[in-house]
């Protein structure tokens, strides 16, 4: 069935290193993908998005890569900082015009000082 | 600009009761979406309202309902509460419907059903 999943539920990274969080999706009709960050006690915060006609998009210290061949999405965070510790969710939007988002289960990123 | 606000922040109810949660979107935002977040199921879409009309609905039973007022404030109601309804309920607002990337989430309402 359709699903959005994450390869790793937890990830620990040394401060200053780069982090890579992965996400797999199964619906090739998905045309829009988003990464969210959720800190403890807060709602999710938009990080970066990418449309299916792109394979890479960069933001400030973050890069999202989309591999449609293997239906894989990743979020790269450069030079991680303690403030990057949070749960990261990928989300997909299925079918053009359908606003409903399907979220992955999340990966908890812990930055080790 | 004030962010999305949700009230109450915490709520304890017993099975069979009903509950109403409130969400005030960012000023000028006309779309409000509701999500349920649990450890087991993650973030699941409940419904979206735009200009007082429900635009989209997730796969939740009819016990879950919502509405939106002319000032874009939204409420969601859960009737006949079940233990499994215990969750963090999040609302998110955006300027327009359909562009779900720039959703701004509130802090959520933590509902515990005993």
């Amino acid at each position: 069935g359709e699903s959005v999943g994450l390869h790793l539920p937890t990830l620990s990274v040394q401060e200053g290193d780069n982090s890579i969080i992965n996400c797999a999706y199964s619906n090739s009709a998905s045309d829009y993908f988003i990464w969210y960050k959720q800190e403890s006690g807060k709602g999710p915060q938009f990080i970066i998005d990418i449309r299916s006609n792109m394979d890479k998009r960069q933001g400030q210290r973050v890069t999202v890569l989309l591999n449609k061949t293997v239906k894989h999405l990743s979020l790269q965070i450069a030079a991680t900082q303690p403030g990057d510790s949070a749960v990261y969710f990928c989300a997909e939007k299925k079918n053009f015009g359908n606003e409903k988002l399907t979220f992955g289960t999340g990966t908890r990123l812990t930055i080790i000082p | 600009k004030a962010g999305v606000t949700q009230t109450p922040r915490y709520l304890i109810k017993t099975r069979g009761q009903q509950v109403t949660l409130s969400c005030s979107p960012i000023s000028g935002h006309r779309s409000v979406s509701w999500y349920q977040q649990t450890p087991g199921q993650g973030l699941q879409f409940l419904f979206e309202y735009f200009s007082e009309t429900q635009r989209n609905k997730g796969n939740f039973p009819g016990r879950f309902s919502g509405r939106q007022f002319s000032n874009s404030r939204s409420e969601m109601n859960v009737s006949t509460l079940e233990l499994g309804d215990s969750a963090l309920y999040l609302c998110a607002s955006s300027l327009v419907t359909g562009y779900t990337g720039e959703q701004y989430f509130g802090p959520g309402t933590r509902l515990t059903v005993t």
Side-chain angles (χ1 to χ4, degrees):
Chain A
E2 298 169 347
S3 66
V4 176
L6 292 165
H7 291 171
L8 296 172
T10 61
L11 179 65
S12 296
V13 175
Q14 204 76 35
E15 183 178 352
D17 286 352
N18 298 334
S19 302
I20 300 176
I21 301 171
N22 296 303
C23 178
Y25 66 96
S26 59
N27 188 352
S28 58
S30 294
D31 60 1
Y32 183 57
F33 304 87
I34 309 167
W35 281 101
Y36 285 93
K37 171 187 180 183
Q38 187 173 22
E39 297 175 275
S40 180
K42 298 183 180 179
Q45 177 186 4
F46 172 91
I47 300 173
I48 192 168
D49 59 359
I50 189 167
R51 297 193 179 275
S52 58
N53 61 351
M54 304 170 68
D55 54 18
K56 181 179 180 179
R57 190 157 188 233
Q58 288 184 292
Q60 187 176 14
R61 283 200 308 118
V62 295
T63 301
V64 56
L65 298 177
L66 175 61
N67 185 331
K68 292 181 286 294
T69 302
V70 295
K71 299 188 188 67
H72 183 268
L73 190 70
S74 69
L75 176 70
Q76 300 178 0
I77 305 174
T80 51
Q81 304 167 357
D84 294 329
S85 292
V87 177
Y88 290 81
F89 296 93
C90 66
E92 65 171 316
K93 181 182 145 193
K94 303 174 184 179
N95 304 321
F96 180 78
N98 182 346
E99 302 87 355
K100 188 172 90 170
L101 278 176
T102 300
F103 284 81
T105 53
T107 291
R108 180 173 298 281
L109 176 65
T110 300
I111 307 303
I112 304 167
Chain B
K1 186 187 281 191
V4 177
T5 58
Q6 292 186 245
T7 57
R9 290 293 311 277
Y10 302 92
L11 203 52
I12 299 175
K13 290 285 189 178
T14 57
R15 278 179 297 175
Q17 288 186 313
Q18 74 165 13
V19 67
T20 299
L21 311 181
S22 180
C23 172
S24 292
I26 291 173
S27 178
H29 284 193
R30 295 169 62 192
S31 170
V32 174
S33 297
W34 287 91
Y35 296 86
Q36 182 195 65
Q37 186 174 31
T38 61
Q41 299 297 320
L43 264 162
Q44 293 186 290
F45 173 79
L46 279 156
F47 28 66
E48 183 205 3
Y49 286 87
F50 180 77
S51 294
E52 302 178 65
T53 302
Q54 188 178 87
R55 285 292 313 267
N56 212 335
K57 191 176 188 304
N59 300 321
F60 278 82
R63 300 185 295 108
F64 292 80
S65 62
R67 59 177 175 168
Q68 186 179 36
F69 302 94
S70 58
N71 61 358
S72 295
R73 189 177 71 85
S74 178
E75 289 181 346
M76 68 162 282
N77 183 276
V78 188
S79 62
T80 319
L81 284 166
E82 300 176 0
L83 293 178
D85 296 332
S86 294
L88 181 68
Y89 290 88
L90 293 157
C91 83
S93 76
S94 58
L95 266 174
V96 295
T97 186
Y99 183 38
T100 48
E102 289 292 346
Q103 284 186 117
Y104 296 85
F105 281 83
T109 294
R110 172 75 62 186
L111 172 65
T112 302
V113 182
T114 62

